Amino acid sequence: MRVISLVPSITETLFDLGLTTDEIVGRTKFCIHPKELVDNVEIIGGTKNLNIEKIKSLKPDLIIANKEENIKEQVEELMIDYKVLLTNIETLEDNYYLIKQLGNLLGKEDRAQLFNLKTYEAFDFPKAEKRLKVAYLIWKNPYMTVGGDTFISRILEELGFENLFKNEKRYPEIQLEDLKEADLIFLSSEPFPFKEKHIEEIQEVCKNQKIKIVDGEAFSWYGTHLAKCGEYYRVLSEDL
């Protein structure tokens, strides 16, 4: 089967399930894991600006897309001529069924089950009795956070935190003053690459909040990536 992945975390998942570069024939420029393998896969554009003609030239049997990461009109255009699996991952349960579905579809049921078990193990550690309120920032200029209907928010909850903006939708813009009710402020390493200098800027306004840069992939990359984050989650929880 010739597969094209339009989603970075799904590209990683396909390799984790045991597919090879003979089977994964196309990926986006943002598909960076596992590096030693993705470098040998043809790039078909970015997640938001696919090269449709390049995709057609690769003659895929299956294209895997995502409702949030890809542009609706481009995915619909591909659906005319190709089999497209359109994913929509909002919860850990959704993630479980995604991995299971891919395992069944690609004849990798055993590896899929193994990664699903490892994923649940990654979140199986003692949580603090009190849920600390977290503001999770994904962007600067303007500052943007995550609402309660996002995958990132669900991961925060699974880790024992409370999303300060859980009553908001998607990715609202905020002001630094809005962060003062948080116990913790997480600055994600992606999509905006927050650095130590940004901690200092925010701390000038949010003097009583603990601010920490966190691994954005551990909170936003669904698929098999979560199964590899257990140690990171435990250490993060213990540090806080």
Side-chain angles (χ1 to χ4, degrees):
M1 183 179 288
R2 295 174 62 82
V3 182
I4 290 178
S5 168
L6 309 182
V7 187
S9 55
I10 289 179
T11 300
E12 180 183 23
T13 298
L14 294 175
F15 278 116
D16 283 341
L17 292 180
L19 268 64
T20 68
T21 52
D22 290 329
E23 296 163 298
I24 304 173
V25 297
R27 51 96 176 182
T28 77
K29 63 182 180 180
F30 301 114
C31 298
I32 57 175
H33 299 309
K35 182 171 179 17
E36 68 276 10
L37 295 176
V38 295
D39 284 349
N40 298 314
V41 178
E42 200 78 31
I43 295 175
I44 47 78
T47 53
K48 308 291 186 189
N49 56 338
L50 305 172
N51 186 330
I52 302 296
E53 292 307 312
K54 186 71 167 291
I55 291 174
K56 290 180 178 180
S57 73
L58 293 171
K59 298 180 173 56
D61 301 304
L62 174 66
I63 299 171
I64 307 177
N66 179 263
K67 183 178 179 182
E68 180 171 290
E69 297 219 33
N70 303 123
I71 301 297
K72 179 182 178 183
E73 289 75 17
Q74 290 194 312
V75 173
E76 289 177 342
E77 182 179 350
L78 292 170
M79 284 178 169
I80 297 173
D81 297 313
Y82 302 99
K83 179 178 180 180
V84 177
L85 174 61
L86 182 61
T87 63
N88 184 30
I89 312 303
E90 296 181 349
T91 66
L92 269 188
E93 185 177 17
D94 291 340
N95 195 71
Y96 173 89
Y97 285 109
L98 167 67
I99 295 174
K100 183 176 181 179
Q101 181 182 22
L102 290 175
N104 292 338
L105 191 62
L106 302 168
K108 306 290 184 181
E109 295 89 347
D110 289 346
R111 287 188 67 83
Q113 180 63 10
L114 176 63
F115 273 100
N116 270 329
L117 289 173
K118 286 185 176 180
T119 299
Y120 281 110
E121 288 173 1
F123 292 91
D124 185 20
F125 60 88
K127 314 294 194 304
E129 290 185 13
K130 179 190 175 185
R131 283 184 174 263
L132 297 176
K133 289 185 178 181
V134 174
Y136 186 104
L137 300 191
I138 60 168
W139 202 255
K140 185 180 187 296
N141 296 328
Y143 285 109
M144 296 174 68
T145 185
V146 297
D149 58 346
T150 61
F151 184 72
I152 293 173
S153 185
R154 301 295 176 85
I155 295 300
L156 286 171
E157 293 173 7
E158 293 288 345
L159 294 175
F161 301 112
E162 178 183 348
N163 180 4
L164 178 64
F165 298 97
K166 64 183 180 182
N167 295 324
E168 301 289 334
K169 300 292 185 183
R170 308 316 292 163
Y171 306 104
E173 294 182 17
I174 58 166
Q175 304 297 319
L176 291 183
E177 291 289 334
D178 300 328
L179 304 177
K180 289 187 173 181
E181 293 182 26
D183 298 307
L184 304 167
I185 299 172
F186 285 171
L187 305 183
S188 179
S189 62
E190 63 164 42
F192 183 88
F194 281 103
K195 306 294 183 185
E196 292 296 326
K197 64 180 181 180
H198 300 119
I199 292 180
E200 297 173 9
E201 293 173 8
I202 297 172
Q203 199 82 73
E204 290 181 8
V205 177
C206 304
K207 300 184 183 301
N208 299 319
Q209 282 67 39
K210 182 178 177 65
I211 306 175
K212 185 176 181 65
I213 294 174
V214 295
D215 179 1
E217 293 179 7
F219 289 87
S220 63
W221 281 48
Y222 42 83
T224 56
H225 191 84
L226 299 176
K228 308 170 190 178
C229 296
E231 182 64 19
Y232 177 80
Y233 293 147
R234 282 188 285 274
V235 171
L236 177 66
S237 180
E238 290 169 3
D239 286 348
L240 298 172

